Amino acid sequence: MLLTTSRVFDGHQLGGPATLHIEGDRVAALVPGEVGDDAAGAPPASERGETPVELPAGWLVAPGFVDVHCHGGGGASFSDDADGIVQVLATHRAAGTTSSMASTVTESVDDLCDRARTLAPFAASGELLGMHLEGPWLSPDHRGAHDPALLQTPQVAAFDRIQAAAGGAVRMVTLAPELEGGLDLVRHLAARGIVAAVGHCDATHEVATQAFDAGATAATHLFNAMRGIHHREPGPVTAALEDERVCIELIADGVHLAAPILSGAMRIAGDRAVLVTDAMAAAGQPDGDYRLGGLAVRVTDGVARLVEGGAIAGSTLTMAEAVRHCIEQAGVEPQAVLRAATSAPASMVGAADVGRLAPGTWADAVVLDETWTVRGVLRRGQWIRPLG
């Protein structure tokens, strides 16, 4: 396939025009300029077995979105059976997310092992980037929509059990480093190349810094479900923002973060800013009653909250909606937003062949029009959402 576009984002820079060359399921080249059939005396594309596709003026091609923190969508969750997992993936892929991590919620270690065994084949086949354990090693004081009865102190042995059940698919763990054993688990994860993320925590600035020095490289949905900023105790937020080693997750749905906070955090974080959905089953679905793990959730006007207590319970967001919100409501430059939805999350979890349009990467792409609306989605060189 030859995909010619007036605007392109390659994972780093916004430019164009360009022609994206796809061979099979991989990107063969991204060539600046509009490449015609007669370039360098080449035979027509049809004779070369290539299908030329020219996008309307003003449309943009970007790498498929990468979401490293997602619990569900389409009425299902990653805690469901295989059919439910397929439904979650289909929902988010239609909205431009071609690479997803399956985020779990707090459960017993035995149940998390069962969950890992169900998700492992999807990771092994490349349908998932891997697993993200969000819980059970979280602060009771900042648990958000996690069952307090199931929270535990961090234990290396418990993690190893889950990782064994997952066949090595766990790629990221969110934990509260101030808990007993927290820093030990951070070191254990870092030594194995697994992303340790500080989140759902009551850590002081000092303890958060100790966690980053121990090898933690991410902050889970910054500002949300963690100790806030105080002028005499800045807490984990400022520790994460000022540390160039730390990737910054942000939920851009207009509910979790006010626009000035979102734009300011993205400006400070720069290339380290990572957009995530933290989506639950109601993403892509109408208002109503849902579940997040074992907890009842009610969605009203698109906002998910626990029935008991009213805490925000994830989001109903897609990455396409997050991108549009950042640009149109928070006023962030499109190049920075697209990077935070593609190459930045891919780099955060060490996924080198997604989030970029470069020779050898997967042929995953999203086509956006001038209003940042998804008009087509390619995954592994195939249109999973045809142009329209």
Side-chain angles (χ1 to χ4, degrees):
M1 185 189 304
L2 295 177
L3 188 60
T4 301
T5 176
S6 60
R7 302 169 68 209
V8 65
F9 177 74
D10 64 4
H12 301 286
Q13 298 292 325
L14 189 59
T19 299
L20 180 66
H21 294 242
I22 295 172
E23 293 183 1
D25 55 11
R26 297 279 181 171
V27 173
L30 182 63
V31 181
E34 298 179 7
V35 180
D37 284 339
D38 59 351
S46 58
E47 294 183 15
R48 301 195 303 268
E50 297 171 327
T51 303
V53 178
E54 186 172 352
L55 297 180
W59 287 21
L60 177 145
V61 175
F65 300 138
V66 179
D67 190 359
V68 295
H69 188 158
C70 177
H71 297 278
S77 80
F78 286 126
S79 296
D80 292 341
D81 60 14
D83 289 342
I85 294 167
V86 170
Q87 180 62 32
V88 177
L89 290 172
T91 298
H92 287 284
R93 285 176 183 175
T97 299
T98 52
S99 297
S100 300
M101 286 251 284
S103 297
T104 61
V105 296
T106 293
E107 297 181 280
S108 70
V109 173
D110 286 343
D111 286 343
L112 285 170
C113 286
D114 289 341
R115 201 74 58 227
R117 282 186 278 270
T118 302
L119 290 165
F122 289 88
S125 66
E127 294 298 302
L128 285 171
L129 284 178
M131 287 177 58
H132 162 214
L133 299 180
E134 189 180 21
W137 306 302
L138 311 177
S139 166
D141 296 328
H142 298 277
R143 63 183 181 273
H146 290 261
D147 189 338
L150 297 175
L151 296 176
Q152 301 179 22
T153 56
Q155 297 177 5
V156 167
F159 166 78
D160 287 345
R161 279 187 59 202
I162 299 168
Q163 182 70 304
V170 177
R171 206 161 186 165
M172 176 175 166
V173 177
T174 294
L175 73 152
E178 76 278 6
L179 298 177
E180 182 181 356
L183 293 177
D184 289 336
L185 183 53
V186 168
R187 296 185 188 97
H188 185 75
L189 296 169
R192 286 152 181 78
I194 298 162
V195 176
V198 170
H200 285 275
C201 67
D202 196 41
T204 62
H205 186 280
E206 180 183 9
V207 171
T209 299
Q210 289 173 358
F212 300 138
D213 287 342
T217 56
T220 296
H221 44 52
L222 196 74
F223 296 100
N224 299 119
M226 61 178 60
R227 178 193 287 252
I229 299 173
H230 187 276
H231 57 281
R232 286 189 293 272
E233 172 41 62
V237 173
T238 53
L241 285 172
E242 69 187 11
D243 195 321
E244 294 294 328
R245 300 169 295 181
V246 179
C247 295
I248 306 297
E249 280 191 5
L250 298 163
I251 305 174
D253 63 351
V255 177
H256 284 79
L257 299 173
I261 291 292
L262 175 61
S263 60
M266 291 193 71
R267 183 175 62 253
I268 294 169
D271 292 353
R272 299 179 292 125
V274 171
L275 291 179
V276 297
T277 64
D278 196 15
M280 44 80 71
Q285 297 292 293
D287 287 356
D289 291 331
Y290 297 86
R291 298 196 74 79
L292 183 59
L295 302 179
V297 176
R298 181 159 297 140
V299 177
T300 305
D301 296 329
V303 180
R305 293 185 178 275
L306 291 182
V307 171
E308 184 176 343
I312 294 177
S315 84
T316 62
L317 192 63
T318 65
M319 286 294 284
E321 292 165 342
V323 165
R324 188 183 304 112
H325 177 82
C326 278
I327 295 171
E328 295 184 348
Q329 304 301 319
V332 183
E333 288 295 325
Q335 179 170 285
V337 175
L338 291 170
R339 185 171 55 238
T342 58
S343 58
S347 295
M348 172 177 157
V349 298
D353 53 0
V354 299
R356 301 165 184 82
L357 296 176
T361 60
W362 290 114
D364 296 347
V366 59
V367 178
L368 304 166
D369 67 16
E370 302 94 329
T371 67
W372 306 103
T373 299
V374 174
R375 303 303 295 263
V377 182
L378 274 169
R379 188 172 192 273
R380 306 302 194 258
Q382 301 294 320
W383 290 108
I384 59 172
R385 176 171 172 174
L387 287 171

